[in-house]
Amino acid sequence: MAQRRSLAVPRAVPVLAVSFLACVATGLELSVNNHAADFTLSTGLSPAISLSCLVHNNSQAEELLWYRGSGQVDLKDGNKVNISNICISPVNESDNGVTFTCRLARDKSVQVSVILDVQFPPQLSGEETLHMEEGKDVTLTCNSKSNPQAQSTWLKDKQSLTLQQSRHKVYQTSDVFQLSIRKVQKSDNGTYTCVVESHLGNGTRDFHLIVEDKKPVFPKEAVIAAVVVVTITILFGIVAQKDKFFKVW
């Protein structure tokens, strides 16, 4: 007869399981500016903002680490244990979208991240004066940075620009606003203004388009042919007059 066999379960296992669950229930947690989960912090351009990371449910001193993106932030010795503060000063447009993360040193899976949402009015740049030969294509590029993304329009000589589908093309991304003109004419001469508007403010930038006369096409083939003909003619003339030259000498 086959004997039934049973697996012996150590009495300590239920105790360990209960202890593990108790550890999870009272496990270490972090909070950043009173947020226990990842969050987005909206701010404007300012002299400084501070982020404070705090350990919860700890029974011993815990070391904290800060990261800006993937790079670790240097902290002073007195600013690492149980509570840690960092200051971002000044807050500018380059901080927009940057992630700051506070982590537990002995278990980096315990962390809280903050994404900065830095809002600022439009900031414009781009080449101001463009010289273009008549009949060529030209593109005016207005580099525009803003958060939130702003609305953009083009003016010509302070008036609304009437776009011609066959000649004008407008292209826009979050940070570039372009106006392309196909086969520029003398009537395209003027000052084009890139206007960018948001609820935080407006920005403008002028672009001076100077359409120059079309350069005459240099007839290289005809000139080369003429030089060849003249050279051959001179050579034949010299050969024909060689006897006279010899008599003179």
Side-chain angles (χ1 to χ4, degrees):
M1 293 179 63
Q3 296 181 350
R4 294 182 178 178
R5 302 177 61 185
S6 60
L7 296 176
V9 179
R11 293 181 180 179
V13 170
V15 177
L16 290 174
V18 172
S19 300
F20 175 75
L21 291 175
C23 181
V24 171
T26 60
L28 293 175
E29 293 182 352
L30 300 181
S31 68
V32 173
N33 290 17
N34 297 321
H35 291 266
D38 296 348
F39 68 102
T40 298
L41 176 61
S42 295
T43 181
L45 302 176
S46 65
I49 61 171
S50 61
L51 302 176
S52 180
C53 183
L54 179 64
V55 182
H56 300 272
N57 303 326
N58 58 309
S59 59
Q60 63 182 31
E62 297 289 350
E63 182 181 354
L64 296 171
L65 306 174
W66 273 104
Y67 291 83
R68 176 189 170 99
S70 59
Q72 188 171 343
V73 179
D74 291 331
L75 299 174
K76 294 182 179 180
D77 291 338
N79 189 29
K80 296 181 178 180
V81 179
N82 293 340
I83 185 170
S84 180
N85 300 285
I86 62 172
C87 182
I88 305 162
S89 176
V91 180
N92 55 46
E93 62 276 2
S94 64
D95 295 314
N96 183 46
V98 175
T99 300
F100 288 86
T101 303
C102 179
R103 290 175 179 160
L104 198 65
R106 68 183 178 93
D107 185 358
K108 295 183 175 61
S109 65
V110 181
Q111 65 176 40
V112 176
S113 294
V114 186
I115 300 175
L116 293 188
D117 175 31
V118 182
Q119 300 190 354
F120 54 94
Q123 300 176 355
L124 310 182
S125 63
E127 188 177 355
E128 294 182 339
T129 303
L130 295 91
H131 296 263
M132 187 57 55
E133 181 182 340
E134 188 177 8
K136 297 291 184 65
D137 298 343
V138 66
T139 298
L140 310 180
T141 301
C142 180
N143 299 308
S144 170
K145 294 176 62 178
S146 64
N147 183 34
Q149 185 173 346
Q151 298 295 319
S152 304
T153 55
W154 283 100
L155 305 178
K156 184 189 178 202
D157 297 328
K158 307 303 180 182
Q159 302 294 325
S160 296
L161 175 63
T162 302
L163 298 177
Q164 301 175 23
Q165 187 174 0
S166 60
R167 300 187 59 241
H168 298 99
K169 184 178 180 181
V170 175
Y171 172 79
Q172 183 174 5
T173 65
S174 60
D175 53 5
V176 172
F177 187 45
Q178 291 181 330
L179 171 66
S180 296
I181 306 175
R182 185 172 176 269
K183 294 183 178 180
V184 294
Q185 307 166 0
K186 284 299 183 69
S187 59
D188 293 318
N189 265 314
T191 299
Y192 293 79
T193 304
C194 171
V195 181
V196 183
E197 300 175 309
S198 80
H199 71 275
L200 295 178
N202 303 333
T204 62
R205 189 166 184 85
D206 290 337
F207 296 81
H208 307 289
L209 178 60
I210 301 173
V211 181
E212 301 174 339
D213 293 334
K214 181 181 289 189
K215 298 176 182 178
V217 179
F218 191 69
K220 293 189 292 184
E221 293 81 2
V223 172
I224 292 173
V227 170
V228 171
V229 171
V230 171
T231 303
I232 293 175
T233 301
I234 293 174
L235 290 175
F236 275 116
I238 292 175
V239 171
Q241 301 293 328
K242 64 179 180 178
D243 292 339
K244 291 183 179 180
F245 290 145
F246 288 147
K247 287 181 181 180
V248 171
W249 287 102

PDB file of all heavy atoms in Angstrom, residues 40-61:
ATOM      1  N   THR A  40       3.958  66.643  -9.579  1.00  0.00           N
ATOM      2  CA  THR A  40       4.456  67.757 -10.385  1.00  0.00           C
ATOM      3  C   THR A  40       4.316  69.041  -9.588  1.00  0.00           C
ATOM      4  O   THR A  40       3.244  69.314  -9.034  1.00  0.00           O
ATOM      5  CB  THR A  40       3.679  67.866 -11.711  1.00  0.00           C
ATOM      6  OG1 THR A  40       3.877  66.671 -12.470  1.00  0.00           O
ATOM      7  CG2 THR A  40       4.181  69.056 -12.532  1.00  0.00           C
ATOM      8  N   LEU A  41       5.387  69.807  -9.549  1.00  0.00           N
ATOM      9  CA  LEU A  41       5.377  71.072  -8.810  1.00  0.00           C
ATOM     10  C   LEU A  41       5.389  72.220  -9.809  1.00  0.00           C
ATOM     11  O   LEU A  41       6.348  72.399 -10.557  1.00  0.00           O
ATOM     12  CB  LEU A  41       6.597  71.155  -7.890  1.00  0.00           C
ATOM     13  CG  LEU A  41       6.781  72.465  -7.108  1.00  0.00           C
ATOM     14  CD1 LEU A  41       5.583  72.701  -6.185  1.00  0.00           C
ATOM     15  CD2 LEU A  41       8.074  72.438  -6.317  1.00  0.00           C
ATOM     16  N   SER A  42       4.303  72.982  -9.853  1.00  0.00           N
ATOM     17  CA  SER A  42       4.206  74.133 -10.748  1.00  0.00           C
ATOM     18  C   SER A  42       4.762  75.365 -10.055  1.00  0.00           C
ATOM     19  O   SER A  42       4.445  75.631  -8.896  1.00  0.00           O
ATOM     20  CB  SER A  42       2.752  74.370 -11.165  1.00  0.00           C
ATOM     21  OG  SER A  42       2.271  73.289 -11.936  1.00  0.00           O
ATOM     22  N   THR A  43       5.565  76.105 -10.779  1.00  0.00           N
ATOM     23  CA  THR A  43       6.173  77.312 -10.237  1.00  0.00           C
ATOM     24  C   THR A  43       6.485  78.258 -11.386  1.00  0.00           C
ATOM     25  O   THR A  43       6.503  77.858 -12.551  1.00  0.00           O
ATOM     26  CB  THR A  43       7.459  76.984  -9.448  1.00  0.00           C
ATOM     27  OG1 THR A  43       8.010  78.187  -8.920  1.00  0.00           O
ATOM     28  CG2 THR A  43       8.492  76.327 -10.345  1.00  0.00           C
ATOM     29  N   GLY A  44       6.738  79.498 -11.047  1.00  0.00           N
ATOM     30  CA  GLY A  44       7.176  80.462 -12.049  1.00  0.00           C
ATOM     31  C   GLY A  44       8.663  80.713 -11.892  1.00  0.00           C
ATOM     32  O   GLY A  44       9.349  80.046 -11.105  1.00  0.00           O
ATOM     33  N   LEU A  45       9.178  81.645 -12.670  1.00  0.00           N
ATOM     34  CA  LEU A  45      10.568  82.050 -12.503  1.00  0.00           C
ATOM     35  C   LEU A  45      10.689  82.737 -11.145  1.00  0.00           C
ATOM     36  O   LEU A  45       9.958  83.680 -10.859  1.00  0.00           O
ATOM     37  CB  LEU A  45      10.985  83.000 -13.625  1.00  0.00           C
ATOM     38  CG  LEU A  45      10.845  82.451 -15.055  1.00  0.00           C
ATOM     39  CD1 LEU A  45      11.200  83.531 -16.062  1.00  0.00           C
ATOM     40  CD2 LEU A  45      11.703  81.226 -15.262  1.00  0.00           C
ATOM     41  N   SER A  46      11.570  82.254 -10.307  1.00  0.00           N
ATOM     42  CA  SER A  46      11.663  82.798  -8.955  1.00  0.00           C
ATOM     43  C   SER A  46      13.094  82.722  -8.455  1.00  0.00           C
ATOM     44  O   SER A  46      13.919  81.970  -9.003  1.00  0.00           O
ATOM     45  CB  SER A  46      10.740  82.025  -8.010  1.00  0.00           C
ATOM     46  OG  SER A  46      11.179  80.683  -7.887  1.00  0.00           O
ATOM     47  N   PRO A  47      13.418  83.506  -7.418  1.00  0.00           N
ATOM     48  CA  PRO A  47      14.782  83.457  -6.875  1.00  0.00           C
ATOM     49  C   PRO A  47      15.161  82.079  -6.363  1.00  0.00           C
ATOM     50  O   PRO A  47      16.308  81.662  -6.490  1.00  0.00           O
ATOM     51  CB  PRO A  47      14.737  84.485  -5.744  1.00  0.00           C
ATOM     52  CG  PRO A  47      13.596  85.390  -6.083  1.00  0.00           C
ATOM     53  CD  PRO A  47      12.594  84.530  -6.773  1.00  0.00           C
ATOM     54  N   ALA A  48      14.216  81.341  -5.756  1.00  0.00           N
ATOM     55  CA  ALA A  48      14.551  80.031  -5.202  1.00  0.00           C
ATOM     56  C   ALA A  48      13.290  79.279  -4.809  1.00  0.00           C
ATOM     57  O   ALA A  48      12.258  79.872  -4.488  1.00  0.00           O
ATOM     58  CB  ALA A  48      15.465  80.178  -3.989  1.00  0.00           C
ATOM     59  N   ILE A  49      13.371  77.935  -4.867  1.00  0.00           N
ATOM     60  CA  ILE A  49      12.371  77.064  -4.259  1.00  0.00           C
ATOM     61  C   ILE A  49      13.123  75.968  -3.523  1.00  0.00           C
ATOM     62  O   ILE A  49      14.258  75.621  -3.880  1.00  0.00           O
ATOM     63  CB  ILE A  49      11.401  76.446  -5.293  1.00  0.00           C
ATOM     64  CG1 ILE A  49      12.168  75.588  -6.307  1.00  0.00           C
ATOM     65  CG2 ILE A  49      10.574  77.489  -5.973  1.00  0.00           C
ATOM     66  CD1 ILE A  49      11.246  74.785  -7.194  1.00  0.00           C
ATOM     67  N   SER A  50      12.501  75.415  -2.478  1.00  0.00           N
ATOM     68  CA  SER A  50      13.154  74.367  -1.693  1.00  0.00           C
ATOM     69  C   SER A  50      12.323  73.098  -1.728  1.00  0.00           C
ATOM     70  O   SER A  50      11.089  73.141  -1.790  1.00  0.00           O
ATOM     71  CB  SER A  50      13.369  74.822  -0.256  1.00  0.00           C
ATOM     72  OG  SER A  50      12.129  75.097   0.371  1.00  0.00           O
ATOM     73  N   LEU A  51      13.017  71.958  -1.693  1.00  0.00           N
ATOM     74  CA  LEU A  51      12.391  70.650  -1.628  1.00  0.00           C
ATOM     75  C   LEU A  51      12.885  69.966  -0.367  1.00  0.00           C
ATOM     76  O   LEU A  51      14.089  69.900  -0.111  1.00  0.00           O
ATOM     77  CB  LEU A  51      12.752  69.808  -2.860  1.00  0.00           C
ATOM     78  CG  LEU A  51      12.379  70.390  -4.228  1.00  0.00           C
ATOM     79  CD1 LEU A  51      12.885  69.488  -5.347  1.00  0.00           C
ATOM     80  CD2 LEU A  51      10.868  70.566  -4.337  1.00  0.00           C
ATOM     81  N   SER A  52      11.935  69.446   0.424  1.00  0.00           N
ATOM     82  CA  SER A  52      12.275  68.815   1.695  1.00  0.00           C
ATOM     83  C   SER A  52      11.838  67.356   1.671  1.00  0.00           C
ATOM     84  O   SER A  52      10.672  67.043   1.425  1.00  0.00           O
ATOM     85  CB  SER A  52      11.590  69.551   2.849  1.00  0.00           C
ATOM     86  OG  SER A  52      11.911  68.951   4.077  1.00  0.00           O
ATOM     87  N   CYS A  53      12.803  66.455   1.926  1.00  0.00           N
ATOM     88  CA  CYS A  53      12.538  65.019   1.919  1.00  0.00           C
ATOM     89  C   CYS A  53      12.603  64.497   3.364  1.00  0.00           C
ATOM     90  O   CYS A  53      13.559  64.787   4.090  1.00  0.00           O
ATOM     91  CB  CYS A  53      13.562  64.297   1.048  1.00  0.00           C
ATOM     92  SG  CYS A  53      13.276  62.526   0.885  1.00  0.00           S
ATOM     93  N   LEU A  54      11.590  63.710   3.753  1.00  0.00           N
ATOM     94  CA  LEU A  54      11.480  63.251   5.136  1.00  0.00           C
ATOM     95  C   LEU A  54      11.234  61.745   5.160  1.00  0.00           C
ATOM     96  O   LEU A  54      10.457  61.215   4.360  1.00  0.00           O
ATOM     97  CB  LEU A  54      10.329  63.976   5.837  1.00  0.00           C
ATOM     98  CG  LEU A  54      10.046  63.621   7.294  1.00  0.00           C
ATOM     99  CD1 LEU A  54      11.229  64.003   8.185  1.00  0.00           C
ATOM    100  CD2 LEU A  54       8.776  64.317   7.767  1.00  0.00           C
ATOM    101  N   VAL A  55      11.914  61.029   6.094  1.00  0.00           N
ATOM    102  CA  VAL A  55      11.716  59.594   6.278  1.00  0.00           C
ATOM    103  C   VAL A  55      10.603  59.371   7.293  1.00  0.00           C
ATOM    104  O   VAL A  55      10.557  60.024   8.341  1.00  0.00           O
ATOM    105  CB  VAL A  55      13.015  58.914   6.773  1.00  0.00           C
ATOM    106  CG1 VAL A  55      12.806  57.412   6.908  1.00  0.00           C
ATOM    107  CG2 VAL A  55      14.166  59.205   5.835  1.00  0.00           C
ATOM    108  N   HIS A  56       9.726  58.396   6.996  1.00  0.00           N
ATOM    109  CA  HIS A  56       8.634  58.038   7.900  1.00  0.00           C
ATOM    110  C   HIS A  56       8.773  56.576   8.326  1.00  0.00           C
ATOM    111  O   HIS A  56       9.268  55.738   7.577  1.00  0.00           O
ATOM    112  CB  HIS A  56       7.274  58.244   7.221  1.00  0.00           C
ATOM    113  CG  HIS A  56       7.019  59.646   6.782  1.00  0.00           C
ATOM    114  ND1 HIS A  56       6.458  60.603   7.594  1.00  0.00           N
ATOM    115  CD2 HIS A  56       7.258  60.263   5.593  1.00  0.00           C
ATOM    116  CE1 HIS A  56       6.340  61.743   6.933  1.00  0.00           C
ATOM    117  NE2 HIS A  56       6.828  61.559   5.710  1.00  0.00           N
ATOM    118  N   ASN A  57       8.295  56.274   9.504  1.00  0.00           N
ATOM    119  CA  ASN A  57       8.259  54.908  10.044  1.00  0.00           C
ATOM    120  C   ASN A  57       9.649  54.300  10.225  1.00  0.00           C
ATOM    121  O   ASN A  57       9.807  53.082  10.168  1.00  0.00           O
ATOM    122  CB  ASN A  57       7.423  53.977   9.147  1.00  0.00           C
ATOM    123  CG  ASN A  57       6.001  54.477   8.966  1.00  0.00           C
ATOM    124  OD1 ASN A  57       5.419  55.071   9.865  1.00  0.00           O
ATOM    125  ND2 ASN A  57       5.451  54.245   7.785  1.00  0.00           N
ATOM    126  N   ASN A  58      10.628  55.120  10.433  1.00  0.00           N
ATOM    127  CA  ASN A  58      11.984  54.593  10.623  1.00  0.00           C
ATOM    128  C   ASN A  58      12.257  54.352  12.103  1.00  0.00           C
ATOM    129  O   ASN A  58      11.788  55.092  12.970  1.00  0.00           O
ATOM    130  CB  ASN A  58      13.021  55.557  10.048  1.00  0.00           C
ATOM    131  CG  ASN A  58      12.947  56.934  10.666  1.00  0.00           C
ATOM    132  OD1 ASN A  58      11.874  57.526  10.726  1.00  0.00           O
ATOM    133  ND2 ASN A  58      14.080  57.445  11.122  1.00  0.00           N
ATOM    134  N   SER A  59      13.035  53.291  12.368  1.00  0.00           N
ATOM    135  CA  SER A  59      13.431  52.966  13.742  1.00  0.00           C
ATOM    136  C   SER A  59      14.907  53.245  13.971  1.00  0.00           C
ATOM    137  O   SER A  59      15.419  53.001  15.059  1.00  0.00           O
ATOM    138  CB  SER A  59      13.135  51.490  14.043  1.00  0.00           C
ATOM    139  OG  SER A  59      13.835  50.656  13.132  1.00  0.00           O
ATOM    140  N   GLN A  60      15.580  53.733  12.925  1.00  0.00           N
ATOM    141  CA  GLN A  60      16.995  54.060  13.032  1.00  0.00           C
ATOM    142  C   GLN A  60      17.307  55.208  12.084  1.00  0.00           C
ATOM    143  O   GLN A  60      16.456  55.609  11.277  1.00  0.00           O
ATOM    144  CB  GLN A  60      17.858  52.841  12.673  1.00  0.00           C
ATOM    145  CG  GLN A  60      17.674  52.378  11.228  1.00  0.00           C
ATOM    146  CD  GLN A  60      18.481  51.148  10.896  1.00  0.00           C
ATOM    147  OE1 GLN A  60      18.723  50.307  11.765  1.00  0.00           O
ATOM    148  NE2 GLN A  60      18.909  51.029   9.651  1.00  0.00           N
ATOM    149  N   ALA A  61      18.517  55.708  12.207  1.00  0.00           N
ATOM    150  CA  ALA A  61      18.923  56.809  11.323  1.00  0.00           C
ATOM    151  C   ALA A  61      19.024  56.306   9.886  1.00  0.00           C
ATOM    152  O   ALA A  61      19.641  55.267   9.630  1.00  0.00           O
ATOM    153  CB  ALA A  61      20.256  57.391  11.784  1.00  0.00           C
TER     154      ALA A  61
END
